[in-house]
């Protein structure tokens, strides 16, 4: 069943207009394997669906301020979980399994649910390893703003994920910001 689910998920991810979602899904899956080598089927599917159909809800549909960003993100989490659930139901997973995956995708009970925390760790590590540098090059934020972004990312991560994050080979400008953020 998982092979069919992954195939259908990847078919949808390939429709991303920016052509980024499939690669992001693979990056999440790779980090899942590093953080939790004995990951469950539900954890794998949740990791693979972190940016599932994200392009359906443009950031530009919300106010370009902090409040708008959080409204967009909250809407996105529940939307992605529902869209992933449709595929999982279609391939034959039962309701309790689907609810478990939806909880991880929608960040339900973050900090209290170890599965949800694992998937949040995965997303944070993917951002730090693969996306922060290119994001930093396109955003003209002040150093203080970048330090806050890193601190917020760090605060969402578990101690285990912190250890992995410190082992990433960052470009010098990002490493400098991370060192300042953690000082």
């Amino acid at each position: 069943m998982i092979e069919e689910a992954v195939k259908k998920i990847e078919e949808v991810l390939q429709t991303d207009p920016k052509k980024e979602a499939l690669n992001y899904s693979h990056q999440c899956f790779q980090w899942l394997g590093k953080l939790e080598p004995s990951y469950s089927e539900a954890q794998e599917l949740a990791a693979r669906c972190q940016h599932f159909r994200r392009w359906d809800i443009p950031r530009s549909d919300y106010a370009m301020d902090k409040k708008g960003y959080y409204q967009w993100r909250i809407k996105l989490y529940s939307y992605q979980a529902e869209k992933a659930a449709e595929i999982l139901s279609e391939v034959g997973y039962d309701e309790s399994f689907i609810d478990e995956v939806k909880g991880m995708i929608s960040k339900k009970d973050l900090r209290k649910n170890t599965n949800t925390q694992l998937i949040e760790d995965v997303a944070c590590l993917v951002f730090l390893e693969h996306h922060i540098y290119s994001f930093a090059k396109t955003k003209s934020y002040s150093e203080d703003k970048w330090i806050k972004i890193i601190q917020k990312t760090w605060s969402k991560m578990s101690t285990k994920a912190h250890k992995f994050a410190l082992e990433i080979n960052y470009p010098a400008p990002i490493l400098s910001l991370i060192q300042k953020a953690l000082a």
Side-chain angles (χ1 to χ4, degrees):
M1 209 173 348
I2 190 163
E3 294 85 10
E4 186 179 358
V6 170
K7 181 180 179 224
K8 288 181 176 288
I9 288 165
E10 289 192 345
E11 286 171 359
V12 171
L13 292 171
Q14 289 174 357
T15 68
D16 170 20
K18 292 184 178 179
K19 305 295 182 205
E20 299 168 343
L22 183 59
N23 188 46
Y24 186 84
S25 174
H26 291 165
Q27 291 167 344
C28 286
F29 181 59
Q30 288 169 350
W31 266 111
L32 175 64
K34 292 175 189 176
L35 279 168
E36 186 59 56
S38 59
Y39 56 83
S40 71
E41 200 166 314
Q43 291 166 337
E44 176 180 351
L45 292 167
R48 289 182 181 274
C49 289
Q50 282 306 285
H51 278 185
F52 196 69
R53 301 204 60 88
R54 184 183 183 113
W55 56 92
D56 289 348
I57 304 176
R59 171 66 180 95
S60 59
D61 286 357
Y62 292 81
M64 297 308 280
D65 57 13
K66 192 176 199 175
K67 181 180 177 185
Y69 172 74
Y70 287 115
Q71 289 172 335
W72 170 71
R73 213 172 68 186
I74 289 166
K75 173 68 176 171
L76 207 52
Y77 291 160
S78 60
Y79 180 78
Q80 290 170 301
E82 289 302 323
K83 290 299 180 184
E86 290 173 9
I87 286 179
L88 300 182
S89 178
E90 185 182 315
V91 300
Y93 285 103
D94 66 42
E95 193 173 322
S96 66
F97 180 90
I98 293 170
D99 285 344
E100 181 183 1
V101 175
K102 282 173 56 179
M104 287 183 264
I105 294 170
S106 64
K107 313 295 184 193
K108 186 176 180 184
D109 296 324
L110 184 62
R111 298 272 180 239
K112 297 175 190 167
N113 183 306
T114 56
N115 287 332
T116 303
Q117 182 62 55
L118 174 64
I119 299 306
E120 182 66 18
D121 287 345
V122 162
C124 290
L125 288 163
V126 168
F127 172 68
L128 290 171
E129 182 178 34
H130 298 287
H131 301 283
I132 192 171
Y133 186 64
S134 60
F135 188 66
K137 290 192 309 188
T138 63
K139 298 287 183 185
S140 57
Y141 293 154
S142 68
E143 182 176 275
D144 286 344
K145 174 79 172 172
W146 276 110
I147 288 170
K148 286 178 184 169
I149 289 170
I150 292 165
Q151 288 171 336
K152 285 180 183 179
T153 301
W154 202 261
S155 73
K156 294 189 285 183
M157 297 164 60
S158 69
T159 302
K160 182 178 183 179
H162 290 161
K163 291 176 185 173
F164 279 93
L166 291 172
E167 295 173 2
I168 294 172
N169 186 20
Y170 298 101
I174 299 302
L175 180 59
S176 174
L177 286 171
I178 289 172
Q179 289 169 336
K180 290 175 184 177
L182 301 181

